[in-house]
């Protein structure tokens, strides 16, 4: 019998407990003036959950550690000579054994593994029976106990509600725990990196060439990990060029939509603008690489700048700016529309024109909200990857010339991690350090921006 | 067909009132909110608009400074004149009109700027002061008129939104006065205020009466009786009765006016 079959049995037992306890609760003699604490279905649910949850947890736990336990036991039963060496070898060995056991492989490549297959199979079988049996027993005890204890004064509803609360809280914890896990793994790999490269050099160094030689006789074997050119490239493209495009256009779009457009126009334009936000960034990447970048270069050459590169900060940054427009305009739209209409009327009633009202009252009043939106947009822009990978180039130049090619943190991470890589080289590890910096910066930007926006919302409530 | 407006003799006057409205209609889309209303408003009087909720008082009031222009679906018909000039004439400049016909709203709505900047806003827009000293003088004069100067003269840099509701409303009145209007429209200016703040605003209205034509919308009968010299009663978009305040309250001629004033409906 497999664990799946046991799970079915458990479900059946839980259902049985539910039905039985509910029936029992229905039979309570209660005088009608008395309030019963829990309806019968709650008693049923309580019994069903008591049967299911402990047994289910047992099976879940076994699902997590089971394979490891079975593998260790199998190996210990093999003769000394046929055991694999620890580490990668052992991993490969076990993969073969499991492949054969599950039927994916006709036979193992190594003779020793073939030898291990029947042992593995029987070990697994007996563990499954043991755990499955235990689970069924737990379910019987739990369900039976709950059924016996079903009584009018049992607060079944409260208990079921509490269970639901715990489950929901766990669900929300998962997102948080995942983030935490990501941070920890980033942190771990980054520490590994910083044990090889001085953090000060990483943060303040201006030379970035991560190619370390694999053999000692190759040239340039040391590598240089000064990340300033990457930080600069990121800021140059994401926070400067993109924002120069996105802030004015996004703000003007929002002002037009909230103050000038008739409501019928607004109904068409606003969703249209929001569709822009749903275009996959790789499409913007194409646009940047195939249309904008060559156009920028041709333009530069036509005005006499011969050195213009076909990959440029300007191309990537401006397309990224266009991508960010809907983001800024919808944040600014929110901010402007949450300025009370009375403010606008007050200004109009004094004889101000629309543009005076916008310039002197609405925008200043909405400014904190707009600034918060811009910060969020920046944090999005510096984390954006696809466009820069496709259009900004890979050269870690420290330059303020928008026609030159620069690279960003994200583009470098992609380059460092794609292709065949040695996993424990400083080159690969540097990707994690870059990721960590990016994570910390965007996190802080987001937190700050959200508090700004929140304080602003409260101001008008 | 609604009954014709009952107009008391004492309010009938020769042409030359500050503002005159003739057969004014207002539609919101298909819905008529104001129906053929004619009225005169003049300086030295406070005119009160009373009537049950939704009868079109605010809508009609907003016709006098064309604030209905800011509502997409609102359409205004009829004729309204300021000093004999049609204010809905295409040649009439709304910016100048609103400088001459100021407005105070139901909820105090100071701008989120300093007290000083709140007052200076209007004069700046209309270019009333070129030198800083001139502006300072306008600010002081307006705040003094609104009875606020002594309370705020030491904190002109503080935000206008950080004051009490009553102070905010007086700030809004001062803001309206600062552009030197001829008419001031007030839409339930005290409805968000406590009795003491209300009393101060009422005193203020009384003080201002000599220099401006004032129109006030109110739901509070006592307030209408206290501050106004003329009262117009509206019902379902119609102007039912218009006369001296005392006559309207003590001796209303239309049945609907009497019912409303004695609290039988509304
Ligand atoms: N912006 C608008 N759009 C559509 N209809 C409106 C609008 N403003 C007011 N109305 C309608 O016009 C009618 C008159 O409204 P108005 O606000 O002038 O009444 P009011 O006498 O001021 O009422 P209250 O005493 O409650 O302030 C109401 O039926 C209202 O529903
Ligand atoms: Mg009103």
């Amino acid at each position: 019998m497999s664990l799946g079959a046991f799970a079915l049995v458990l479900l059946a037992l839980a259902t049985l407990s539910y039905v039985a306890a509910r029936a029992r609760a229905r039979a309570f003699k209660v005088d009608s003036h008395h309030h019963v604490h829990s309806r019968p279905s709650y008693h049923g649910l309580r019994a069903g959950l008591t049967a299911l949850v402990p047994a289910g947890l047992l099976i879940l736990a076994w699902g997590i550690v089971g394979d490891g336990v079975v593998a260790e036991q199998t190996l210990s039963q093999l003769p000394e000579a046929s055991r694999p060496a620890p580490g990668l070898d052992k991993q490969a060995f076990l993969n073969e054994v499991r492949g054969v056991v599950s039927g994916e492989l006709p036979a193992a490549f190594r003779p020793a593994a073939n030898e291990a297959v029947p042992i593995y199979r029987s070990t697994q079988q007996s563990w499954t029976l043991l755990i499955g049996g235990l689970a069924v027993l737990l379910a019987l005890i739990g369900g039976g106990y709950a059924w016996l204890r079903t009584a009018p004064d049992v607060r079944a509803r409260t208990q079921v509600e509490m269970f639901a609360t715990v489950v929901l809280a766990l669900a929300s914890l998962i997102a948080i725990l995942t983030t935490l896990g990501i941070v920890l793994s980033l942190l771990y790999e980054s520490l590994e990196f910083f044990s090889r490269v001085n953090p000060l050099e990483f943060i303040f160094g201006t030379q970035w060439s991560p190619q370390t030689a694999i053999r000692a006789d190759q040239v340039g074997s040391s590598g240089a990990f000064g990340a300033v050119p990457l930080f600069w490239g990121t800021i140059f493209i994401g926070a400067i060029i993109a924002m120069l495009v996105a802030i004015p256009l996004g703000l003007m779009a929002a002002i037009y939509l909230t103050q000038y457009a008739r409501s019928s126009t607004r109904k068409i334009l606003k969703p249209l603008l929001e569709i822009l936000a749903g275009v996959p960034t790789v499409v913007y990447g194409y646009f940047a690489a195939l249309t904008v970048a060559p156009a920028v270069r041709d333009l530069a050459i036509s005005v006499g700048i011969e050195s213009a590169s076909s990959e440029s900060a300007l191309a990537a940054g401006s397309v990224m700016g266009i991508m960010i427009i809907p983001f800024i305009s919808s944040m600014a739209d929110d901010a402007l529309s949450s300025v009370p209409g009375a403010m606008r009327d007050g200004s109009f009633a004094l004889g101000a024109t629309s543009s005076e009202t916008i310039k002197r009252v609405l925008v200043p009043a909405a400014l904190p909200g707009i600034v918060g939106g811009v910060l969020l947009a920046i944090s999005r822009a510096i984390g954006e990857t696809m466009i820069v990978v496709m259009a900004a180039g890979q050269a870690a130049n420290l330059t303020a010339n928008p026609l030159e090619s620069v690279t960003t943190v994200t583009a470098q991470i992609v380059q460092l991690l794609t292709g065949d890589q040695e996993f424990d080289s400083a080159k690969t590890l540097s990707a994690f350090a870059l990721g960590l910096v990016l994570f910390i910066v965007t996190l802080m930007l987001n937190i700050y921006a959200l508090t700004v926006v929140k304080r602003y919302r409260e101001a008008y409530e | 067909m609604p009954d014709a407006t009952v107009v008391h003799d004492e309010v009938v006057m020769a042409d030359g009132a500050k503002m005159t409205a003739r057969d004014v209609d207002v539609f919101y889309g298909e819905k008529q909110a104001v129906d053929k209303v004619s009225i005169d408003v003049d300086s030295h009087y406070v005119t009160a608009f009373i009537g049950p909720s939704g009868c079109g008082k605010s809508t009609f009031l907003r016709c006098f400074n064309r604030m209905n222009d800011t509502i997409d679906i609102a359409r205004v018909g009829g004729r309204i004149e300021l000093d004999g000039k049609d204010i809905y004439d295409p040649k009439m400049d709304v910016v100048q009109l609103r400088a001459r016909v100021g407005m105070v709203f139901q909820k105090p709505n100071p701008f989120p700027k300093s007290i000083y900047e709140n007052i200076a806003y209007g004069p700046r827009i209309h270019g009333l002061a070129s030198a800083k000293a001139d502006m300072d003088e306008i600010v002081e004069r307006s705040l003094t008129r609104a009875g606020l100067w002594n309370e705020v003269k030491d904190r002109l840099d503080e935000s206008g939104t950080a004051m009490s509701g009553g102070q905010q409303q007086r700030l809004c009145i001062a803001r309206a006065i600062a552009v030197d209007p001829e008419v001031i429209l007030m839409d339930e200016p005290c409805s968000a205020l406590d009795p003491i703040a209300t009393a101060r605003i009422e005193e203020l209205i009384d003080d201002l009466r000599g220099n401006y034509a004032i129109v006030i919308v109110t739901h509070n009968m006592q307030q209408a009786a206290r501050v106004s010299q003329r009262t117009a009663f509206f019902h379902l978009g119609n102007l039912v009765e218009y006369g001296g305040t005392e006559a309207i309250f003590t001796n209303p001629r239309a049945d609907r006016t009497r019912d409303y004033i004695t609290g039988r409906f509304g």
Side-chain angles (χ1 to χ4, degrees), chain B residues 78-94:
Chain B
R79 189 178 174 86
I80 298 186
E81 292 178 355
L82 173 63
D83 283 339
K85 297 246 168 50
D86 181 5
I87 66 169
Y88 282 88
D89 184 356
K91 283 203 254 8
M92 172 60 82
D93 179 31
V94 201

Side-chain angles (χ1 to χ4, degrees), chain A residues 118-446:
Chain A
I119 308 179
Y120 191 96
R121 198 173 270 148
S122 73
T123 317
Q124 193 183 36
Q125 195 66 39
S126 43
W127 271 108
T128 304
L129 278 179
L130 179 66
I131 297 296
L134 263 179
V136 169
L137 197 65
L138 266 179
L140 278 173
I141 296 174
Y145 174 78
W147 177 72
L148 281 176
R149 287 288 315 270
T150 301
D153 61 342
V154 170
R155 307 194 149 240
R157 173 165 48 83
T158 322
Q159 290 171 13
V160 170
E161 288 297 335
M162 206 137 80
F163 177 77
T165 314
V166 170
V167 169
L168 295 178
L170 280 180
S172 63
L173 258 185
I174 285 178
I176 296 171
L177 288 180
T178 312
T179 318
L180 210 66
I182 293 173
V183 176
L184 286 181
S185 78
L186 270 182
L187 208 59
Y188 178 79
E189 305 288 352
S190 304
L191 286 179
E192 188 76 6
F193 172 73
F194 287 129
S195 70
R196 300 172 194 210
V197 174
N198 184 349
L200 288 180
E201 190 211 319
F202 176 73
I203 292 181
F204 297 110
T206 55
Q207 197 63 42
W208 180 264
S209 67
Q211 293 302 339
T212 40
I214 294 171
R215 295 190 317 277
D217 56 334
Q218 281 175 315
V219 272
S221 60
S222 61
F225 291 97
V228 169
L230 305 187
F231 297 152
W232 165 247
T234 307
I235 292 171
F236 193 38
I237 291 185
I240 299 179
I241 299 179
M243 291 305 136
L244 282 179
V245 173
I247 294 177
L249 290 179
L251 201 55
M252 287 193 275
I255 288 174
Y256 173 72
L257 283 177
T258 53
Q259 309 299 326
Y260 288 96
R262 304 182 132 268
S263 60
S264 51
T265 322
R266 183 180 159 92
K267 270 200 202 98
I268 300 170
L269 279 184
K270 207 167 142 54
L272 222 55
L273 203 60
E274 271 153 16
I275 287 175
L276 273 185
V279 175
T281 56
V282 67
V283 176
Y284 284 105
Y286 277 129
F287 179 59
L290 301 182
T291 312
V292 180
V296 166
R297 184 201 50 209
D298 294 346
L299 195 72
I301 289 176
S302 74
V303 298
I305 306 171
E306 293 299 332
S307 65
S309 142
S310 68
E311 292 174 319
S312 63
L314 186 59
S318 54
V319 172
M320 193 187 285
I322 290 172
M323 184 190 85
I324 297 286
I325 287 175
F327 196 75
I328 297 221
S329 86
S330 96
M331 296 292 294
D333 191 330
D334 282 354
L336 284 169
S337 359
S338 61
V339 175
M343 217 75 91
R344 188 171 152 233
D345 287 348
S347 171
F348 280 139
L350 285 167
T353 61
S354 282
S355 62
E356 282 166 338
T357 303
I358 290 164
K359 197 172 69 194
R360 293 170 186 240
V361 176
L362 295 181
V363 170
L367 200 59
I370 294 173
V371 168
V374 166
L375 290 181
L376 284 180
I378 291 180
S379 121
R380 254 193 78 154
I382 65 179
E384 162 54 31
T385 312
M386 221 53 220
I387 295 174
V388 283
V389 167
M390 295 174 80
Q394 306 289 0
N397 288 328
L398 193 53
T399 173
N401 179 354
L403 296 174
E404 270 187 58
S405 138
V406 299
T407 191
T408 68
V409 171
T410 50
Q412 275 305 302
I413 293 178
V414 170
Q415 209 206 0
L416 292 168
L417 291 182
T418 43
D420 282 338
Q421 303 290 351
E422 251 186 307
F423 209 70
D424 53 354
S425 71
K427 178 184 167 192
T428 318
L429 287 173
S430 67
F432 293 96
L434 289 175
L436 186 68
V437 172
L438 190 64
F439 179 85
I440 292 175
V441 170
T442 50
L443 186 73
M444 290 196 312
L445 263 178
N446 280 354

Side-chain angles (χ1 to χ4, degrees), chain A residues 81-107:
Chain A
S82 16
R83 286 185 207 167
L88 284 178
D89 188 28
K90 182 170 134 189
Q91 216 51 51
F93 180 90
L94 286 173
N95 280 343
E96 280 191 42
V97 174
R98 287 190 187 121
V100 178
V101 169
S102 69
E104 279 166 30
L105 292 176

Side-chain angles (χ1 to χ4, degrees), chain B residues 167-184:
Chain B
Q167 288 175 323
Q168 288 188 16
Q169 194 62 302
R170 276 182 284 147
L171 180 69
C172 291
I173 293 175
R175 185 174 76 183
I177 293 173
V179 292
D180 212 8
E182 296 152 41
V183 182
I184 301 178

